[in-house]
Amino acid sequence: MTHPHIQQVTDNIRSRSAELRARFLAKTAQQHASGKGKASLSCGNLAHAIAASCQSEKSNILDLTRANLAIITAYNDMLSAHQVYKDYPDQIKAALAPVGHTAQIAGGVPAMCDGVTQGQPGMDMSLFSRDLIAQATAMSLSHNMFDGTLLLGICDKIAPGQLMGALAYAHLPTAFIPAGPMATGISNEEKVDVRQKYAAGEVGRDALLQMECNSYHSPGTCTFYGTANTNQLVFEAMGLMLPGSAFVHPDSPLRTALTEYAAKAIAAMAPGTPAYRPLSEVVTAESLVNGLVALLASGGSSNHTIHLVALARAAGLILTWQDISDLSDVVPLLTNVYPNGTADINEFEAAGGVPMLLSRLDERALLHRSVTPAIGDFSLQLQRPQLADGELVWQPCGDTLNPAVIAAKQTCYQTSGGIKVLKGNLGQSVIKISAVKAEHHLIEAPAKVFNSQHAVEAAYQRGELNQDCVVVVRYSGPAANGMPELHKLMPILGNVQKAGFKVALVTDGRLSGASGKIPAAIHMSPEALRGGMIGLVEDGDILRLDAQNGELTCLADLSQRSATVPASEADQHDWGRELFALARQQVTAADQGATFLFPAL
């Protein structure tokens, strides 16, 4: 029996989503009823679609008893997480050929890295790339040649965008094919230490660059628990990939076996087969809540307060921040992974990985068991894969293999999850508190107000932040400049805190899963450019941030003030940002998913 609090949140989502979900399911049913996609194509259509295929592939694609899978790939050879995908299409095709099925690269989607664009103009386009990827995924599937979809994507906006696009073709069986993390480089503590010393001018650029290259050093995802790895954990918890596959190393024979198994499993679920299992049956209110519970129990990325709202909408579900905060009240923190702890994602995998975490949650009745994963059933999600005499098998999880990384049975690291909603006279925002020490959960201090993270950096270098303060950074919302991550701030504010001052951040911008130990009220909605009260805060106003009670209040009287709005659009007309002017005009608020694909509710 599911925990009553979890069930209540799920019921709330289902109730408010009833009309929207019904429309989504009706559209999906109509697409399925139209019949096998390639059967409806003309001879000319088909000839174009198979012209480049070899003769055996042509025969199998034209055989309506055989499945033809769409591969949507985020491969590029610059970014470590996606470089691994280079040979996956050939590997998938080779696995399908002996059983008579085929796959085609239906399309590629852009894969940009926030780690490369941090503090650069490109970061202003980062969030919008998610919706662009959703459009590119739908465009790739528009050839209607396919009986299933394999999504090759991992990182911050890529995987959510691919899922949003695939949900436009939710009558097709669909699964993510992960690629795994790079081997561990240096410790997270060393990374933080060098970055803060560089911000303080105590080490030079050469030392910083050496440290960063030692950290990010080979193919695979980054090893800290940021947005990319949160995608993997949450989507595995939602049943969108093969159980236990999220964090297996790219070079492992187990990784190869998992990829081949998943491809054949999806091919076996093609429309018209007894095992048919469309994506619409996988992404439900229950599976969404399972993903949210796993997000909170693992201290995952705050970016998912945006992404999960948007992708829920793509599935006809209306998710609110209050739902996430309500779940956080009963979901304990069960992992000790950076930035909430010391371990990295490889240590998490060695401790039992996602199946072990889900097992601990299931013991507490915090998961819905009545879900339909893309492959297998719920019980398989609680088992770990391994190779036995060359064969892929799954074994049930026992207790954690490392209680210092994944909590042992009936224990936890803290009693509530990592994300809370803050409400008050400035609007609503979210705070990730799993990495913030309890003594920093309540901050009351004067505001220091800035209109960009670069202005904060300059003020710090002038010595103007050596005091108790709440740093306010506004005009960084989705409509203003695409809502860039403000990661330049973390080493700076970390140094202010380290110097003994009380410090917090309030912003309509965002941070990633790598957010540090500073209490940060982020994603403020409404944003300053859209009339949000954060635009009225002035230097010296006393702000009170109370993470435990979910409150953020400016103690000054704002009723007689008016905002001086900077000409932010004038700064968006270079480096390709001018191409996203319509996105900035149409984008919804952060609490609505910061999307230009769906209107605000």
Side-chain angles (χ1 to χ4, degrees):
M1 179 114 178
T2 305
H3 189 291
H5 197 91
I6 303 295
Q7 188 62 56
Q8 184 60 61
V9 172
T10 309
D11 291 344
N12 292 344
I13 295 171
R14 291 172 65 88
S15 176
R16 81 170 72 94
S17 306
E19 182 179 350
L20 190 65
R21 180 70 175 179
R23 292 202 301 267
F24 168 78
L25 293 175
K27 177 201 71 173
T28 301
Q30 184 276 325
Q31 290 175 190
H32 174 55
S34 67
K36 208 172 183 72
K38 58 189 178 184
S40 66
L41 270 61
S42 72
C43 294
N45 297 150
L46 288 167
H48 278 288
I50 64 173
S53 301
C54 68
Q55 191 55 49
S56 62
E57 287 178 338
K58 288 180 179 179
S59 297
N60 285 334
I61 292 173
L62 295 175
D63 183 345
L64 297 185
T65 68
R66 309 291 187 179
N68 184 41
L69 302 185
I71 299 173
I72 311 295
T73 180
Y75 164 75
N76 64 50
D77 67 2
M78 182 186 76
L79 302 179
S80 62
H82 296 95
Q83 187 268 356
V84 183
Y85 281 134
K86 179 179 181 181
D87 298 322
Y88 272 46
D90 289 341
Q91 180 184 337
I92 290 166
K93 292 177 183 182
L96 294 174
V99 290
H101 301 307
T102 54
Q104 294 176 295
I105 300 177
V109 301
M112 68 174 294
C113 176
D114 290 358
V116 177
T117 57
Q118 289 287 358
Q120 305 298 320
M123 176 55 80
D124 293 354
M125 297 181 283
S126 173
L127 183 57
F128 293 141
S129 75
R130 183 199 62 198
D131 289 11
L132 178 64
I133 289 162
Q135 292 174 319
T137 299
M139 189 67 72
S140 300
L141 294 170
S142 68
H143 294 108
N144 204 22
M145 277 287 297
F146 310 110
D147 305 296
T149 308
L150 300 178
L151 302 172
L152 276 56
I154 289 175
C155 286
D156 297 18
K157 319 308 169 301
I158 296 101
Q162 286 180 318
L163 180 56
M164 290 167 66
L167 283 163
Y169 286 77
H171 63 295
L172 297 178
T174 302
F176 277 93
I177 305 293
M182 66 179 69
T184 300
I186 64 175
S187 70
N188 293 305
E189 291 87 345
E190 183 177 348
K191 283 191 284 187
V192 172
D193 180 62
V194 174
R195 286 170 181 168
Q196 290 190 184
K197 286 179 177 176
Y198 178 76
E202 296 173 11
V203 300
R205 189 174 186 276
D206 288 347
L208 179 66
L209 181 59
Q210 183 62 48
M211 179 278 292
E212 299 287 4
C213 289
N214 288 339
S215 178
Y216 310 111
H217 57 84
S218 65
T221 61
C222 307
T223 59
F224 64 85
Y225 189 43
T227 307
N229 284 325
T230 303
N231 283 339
Q232 302 304 288
L233 185 147
V234 169
F235 287 178
E236 183 175 324
M238 290 179 66
L240 290 163
M241 62 179 70
L242 201 57
S245 64
F247 301 123
V248 176
H249 190 273
D251 294 335
S252 167
L254 179 58
R255 168 61 67 206
T256 301
L258 289 165
T259 298
E260 294 175 354
Y261 186 101
K264 289 185 282 190
I266 293 299
M269 297 177 188
T273 65
Y276 173 58
R277 187 176 297 183
L279 180 61
S280 59
E281 293 182 5
V282 176
V283 181
T284 63
E286 288 77 11
S287 69
L288 176 65
V289 169
N290 281 0
L292 288 164
V293 169
L295 168 74
L296 295 167
S298 60
S301 170
S302 57
N303 273 325
H304 284 73
T305 62
I306 298 175
H307 298 326
L308 287 171
V309 170
L311 70 86
R313 183 72 181 277
L317 298 169
I318 302 172
L319 174 69
T320 69
W321 281 356
Q322 192 59 51
D323 294 326
I324 301 173
S325 193
D326 289 345
L327 290 171
S328 187
D329 289 340
V330 298
V331 175
L333 182 66
L334 298 181
T335 70
N336 182 39
V337 182
Y338 180 84
N340 311 304
T342 56
D344 70 5
I345 207 66
N346 290 312
E347 292 172 281
F348 172 78
E349 174 66 13
V354 181
M356 188 68 72
L357 174 63
L358 297 183
S359 296
R360 299 290 78 82
L361 290 167
D362 182 58
E363 291 164 358
R364 290 172 163 83
L366 295 175
L367 297 175
H368 290 287
R369 296 179 175 181
S370 59
V371 291
T372 303
I375 302 170
D377 57 20
F378 176 76
S379 65
L380 191 66
Q381 290 189 267
L382 309 181
Q383 300 180 45
R384 297 195 74 199
Q386 61 185 51
L387 288 175
D389 298 325
E391 295 295 320
L392 189 58
V393 298
W394 276 265
Q395 297 293 334
C397 292
D399 204 350
T400 175
L401 302 176
N402 186 347
V405 178
I406 300 178
K409 291 181 179 181
Q410 303 308 316
T411 67
C412 64
Y413 298 110
Q414 68 183 43
T415 56
S416 61
I419 295 174
K420 294 287 289 183
V421 173
L422 301 177
K423 295 183 178 180
N425 60 352
L426 298 183
Q428 69 170 343
S429 58
V430 296
I431 184 170
K432 179 178 175 180
I433 58 174
S434 52
V436 179
K437 292 182 178 179
E439 58 262 35
H440 302 310
H441 285 183
L442 175 61
I443 300 291
E444 185 172 315
K448 297 284 289 184
V449 182
F450 305 91
N451 287 349
S452 76
Q453 65 176 330
H454 309 295
V456 178
E457 183 179 33
Y460 172 73
Q461 292 170 349
R462 293 192 299 266
E464 296 174 2
L465 298 184
N466 296 322
Q467 63 181 77
D468 292 348
C469 61
V470 176
V471 173
V472 178
V473 182
R474 71 267 185 100
Y475 298 104
S476 293
N481 60 355
M483 205 180 190
E485 289 183 350
L486 307 177
H487 254 282
K488 276 192 171 185
L489 301 179
M490 287 300 98
I492 291 170
L493 300 185
N495 282 341
V496 175
Q497 185 185 75
K498 187 177 179 180
F501 297 109
K502 294 191 296 183
V503 63
L505 172 68
V506 173
T507 181
D508 50 11
R510 63 188 176 93
L511 295 168
S512 80
S515 303
K517 303 183 185 303
I518 306 301
I522 59 176
H523 307 172
M524 180 62 70
S525 300
E527 64 175 286
L529 190 70
R530 295 254 176 99
M533 301 297 279
I534 188 176
L536 301 180
V537 179
E538 297 177 355
D539 280 346
D541 288 345
I542 302 300
L543 297 185
R544 178 182 175 85
L545 189 160
D546 185 345
Q548 287 302 317
N549 293 309
E551 297 175 2
L552 173 61
T553 305
C554 178
L555 302 184
D557 180 7
L558 305 177
S559 61
Q560 302 303 311
R561 296 182 185 178
S562 60
T564 301
V565 181
S568 60
E569 189 62 25
D571 295 328
Q572 298 291 310
H573 285 171
D574 55 10
W575 303 103
R577 294 177 292 183
E578 64 273 19
L579 302 179
F580 291 86
L582 287 177
R584 289 187 291 276
Q585 294 169 19
Q586 298 296 324
V587 69
T588 60
D591 60 0
Q592 295 272 316
T595 176
F596 58 76
L597 297 180
F598 310 110
L601 291 169

